[in-house]
Amino acid sequence: MTVTARRELVSPATRNAFRSLATDLTIRIVEELWENHGFAPIPPEELKYDDPGQRRTTFMLYAEGVDWSDPEHVRRALLVFKDFIRAYRDPDLQGTPKWLEDIGVRLERDGFLLDKSGRISWKHPPISLLARDLSALK
């Protein structure tokens, strides 16, 4: 019997792009953005990431706790990423900054869409996210 790993829905390249945004935010904000959507950090001794940057390391403590192949985890992580964009973006600047264009390209490669306001959506949502309890319908 062959065991196959489930495909990650968000690539390491996309996660790395968001990790880079953490560099310009405070550690407290990085923690809050993850915790606001129900994520907790993994224990530091379990982290398989080595970086002298505290903000990037804090980001990874949370990101490594995400099951990137689970549609529900990914749905919540996308909310975190949306909040990262809002926290990082300068609302006074006109147009789309290059960093946001780069993130949009990476998200698109992963099967997501990024609109002008920073919202992230699935191109083709997994069936499990579309399934709803229809028992109350008449």
Side-chain angles (χ1 to χ4, degrees), residues 72-90:
E72 180 56 29
H73 266 224
V74 169
R75 182 193 66 76
R76 290 178 25 236
L78 293 175
L79 293 173
V80 174
F81 289 174
K82 174 184 166 191
D83 289 349
F84 262 88
I85 290 170
R86 285 184 40 233
Y88 191 82
R89 188 177 204 172
D90 182 350

Side-chain angles (χ1 to χ4, degrees), residues 96-132:
T96 303
K98 179 157 178 17
W99 64 265
L100 190 55
E101 285 180 21
D102 292 343
I103 284 177
V105 168
R106 291 174 190 215
L107 284 165
E108 189 171 342
R109 288 179 189 153
D110 290 347
F112 302 99
L113 300 170
L114 177 65
D115 71 15
K116 299 280 185 209
S117 68
R119 282 185 297 233
I120 303 168
S121 59
W122 301 77
K123 282 185 187 175
H124 306 287
I127 300 293
S128 61
L129 290 179
L130 295 175
R132 301 282 185 246

